[in-house]
Amino acid sequence: MVLLTYVEGPSQESSTLGDATEFVNVGFLAAIYLIGIFFWFVPSTLLALGLLVWSINKQVKTIVRVFALSPFILTALILLEVNLLSIVTDPAAFSSRANVRDLMSINLLTIGFTLGTGYFFVALGFGIHRLFQRLNLIKEAGVENQPVLTQAA
């Protein structure tokens, strides 16, 4: 609550329980969060399930290449969702240049944000994978442990 008050400025009516402005700010942030979950949940769940089914019985190199391209696939799915929702909620989305310009702006923001966020998490996952390899918590695929044979003297 303190951060919200700092961002919005000091409240006019302060009490020990907070005020209505702080509650509205928290409600607004919660609404933004829930909308974000909605826009990301459906496409990312479809992508994860699709990649899971696709990756069965594939070679590791092929899987790594496709997973590295997954932010592009997620971007396409989110763009599809955003454009479909724009057309469904506003059938006149293509009626004027201003509406088309607004839709294109939303598409460009979506592309930039999704690719940036997607590749941030791809890099984070790759870094964690390399760290686990260096700590010997995971082993390379295809490398099998050979039993050590001891000879009795």
Side-chain angles (χ1 to χ4, degrees):
M1 298 291 181
V2 174
L3 178 63
L4 291 176
T5 303
Y6 177 73
V7 170
E8 292 292 322
S11 62
Q12 300 295 331
E13 301 172 9
S14 297
S15 68
T16 57
L17 298 175
D19 61 0
T21 305
E22 290 177 353
F23 179 74
V24 169
N25 289 338
V26 171
F28 176 73
L29 290 176
I32 294 295
Y33 182 73
L34 290 174
I35 290 170
I37 288 173
F38 174 74
F39 279 108
W40 281 75
F41 179 74
V42 173
S44 60
T45 302
L46 288 174
L47 177 65
L49 290 174
L51 288 174
L52 176 68
V53 169
W54 173 84
S55 66
I56 297 172
N57 296 327
K58 297 286 193 267
Q59 292 181 352
V60 175
K61 286 184 179 183
T62 306
I63 293 171
V64 169
R65 285 185 189 135
V66 172
F67 278 32
L69 295 174
S70 64
F72 283 105
I73 301 167
L74 182 62
T75 300
L77 290 172
I78 290 176
L79 280 175
L80 180 67
E81 179 187 34
V82 166
N83 288 319
L84 285 175
L85 287 173
S86 295
I87 292 169
V88 167
T89 57
D90 184 18
F94 296 108
S95 64
S96 70
R97 285 185 178 207
N99 290 347
V100 171
R101 188 177 58 237
D102 290 345
L103 188 59
M104 294 307 291
S105 297
I106 290 171
N107 285 339
L108 288 175
L109 286 172
T110 300
I111 290 169
F113 184 72
T114 304
L115 285 177
T117 304
Y119 276 110
F120 169 77
F121 284 109
V122 166
L124 181 67
F126 182 72
I128 291 171
H129 177 76
R130 294 301 252 181
L131 176 67
F132 284 176
Q133 280 180 332
R134 288 189 182 184
L135 295 174
N136 292 325
L137 296 174
I138 59 174
K139 296 182 179 160
E140 288 290 326
V143 177
E144 297 179 17
N145 291 335
Q146 299 293 331
V148 178
L149 299 175
T150 57
Q151 294 179 344

